[in-house]
Amino acid sequence: MLNHRKLAARALLAVVFWPSLFFFWFLGPFVFFLLSTTSSAVCPRLDTRAEFLDAANGALPMLVLQNLIYAVPIVCLVLWNRLLPEPARARQIITCIKLFAVAAVLGALWEYGSSLVCDGYGQPFFSPVWRMTSYLPIANLAVNIPLYGLVFSLGRAFSMREDDPAADAVDPDRNAS
């Protein structure tokens, strides 16, 4: 009975993991990028530095929510590892968590920095350092590609059956007699 519960829990985690990986990690960045950056329609309406900072700081709760939603596949991996502890996979999950933290910080800096580009008059508010945030997507991509590959392979390993299919096979010679 215990094996059936573990198998059911693994299946439930797979039902959460795979859609969240696809929708949150592969499609989510496009949606959140469109929602979190200050659009060209908003920029001309902001006259003062304080108004612009308020608008940019208003994006911070969305950035926090975005990172919490993105953490769903990582949480699934941690729960899977608790169901089926394996030291090699545990080390890989820790690597995933570290890569995820770096990607989250880079993504937040990029999105927040890109929302501080203009002041309504085309004048930058901040030093050229903030304008350098336009290079962060390259660094984020360099972190996310191995992260996506590792999470995908771990998810595949955890959601695969571990029983021996040869043991479940029926011997045709035994059934014939």
Side-chain angles (χ1 to χ4, degrees), residues 26-133:
F26 297 132
L27 298 179
F30 300 111
V31 173
F32 280 113
F33 175 71
L34 292 173
L35 294 175
S36 65
T37 58
T38 305
S39 70
S40 59
V42 173
C43 235
R45 289 187 275 153
L46 303 173
D47 293 327
T48 66
R49 184 181 185 127
E51 289 175 338
F52 198 83
L53 284 174
D54 286 342
N57 290 336
L60 290 177
M62 185 176 296
L63 292 174
V64 170
L65 175 66
Q66 174 183 345
N67 286 324
L68 289 175
I69 290 172
Y70 284 171
V72 170
I74 301 292
V75 171
C76 288
L77 290 177
V78 170
L79 293 174
W80 261 328
N81 195 52
R82 289 187 55 91
L83 285 172
L84 299 166
E86 189 175 312
R89 287 185 188 162
R91 284 190 298 274
Q92 290 177 332
I93 291 171
I94 289 171
T95 301
C96 286
I97 291 169
K98 290 176 183 177
L99 287 172
F100 179 78
V102 169
V105 168
L106 288 174
L109 280 174
W110 171 54
E111 291 179 18
Y112 186 72
S114 65
S115 67
L116 296 173
V117 174
C118 71
D119 66 354
Y121 301 106
Q123 302 297 318
F125 274 143
F126 295 96
S127 68
V129 174
W130 275 110
R131 284 184 248 143
M132 292 181 66
T133 60

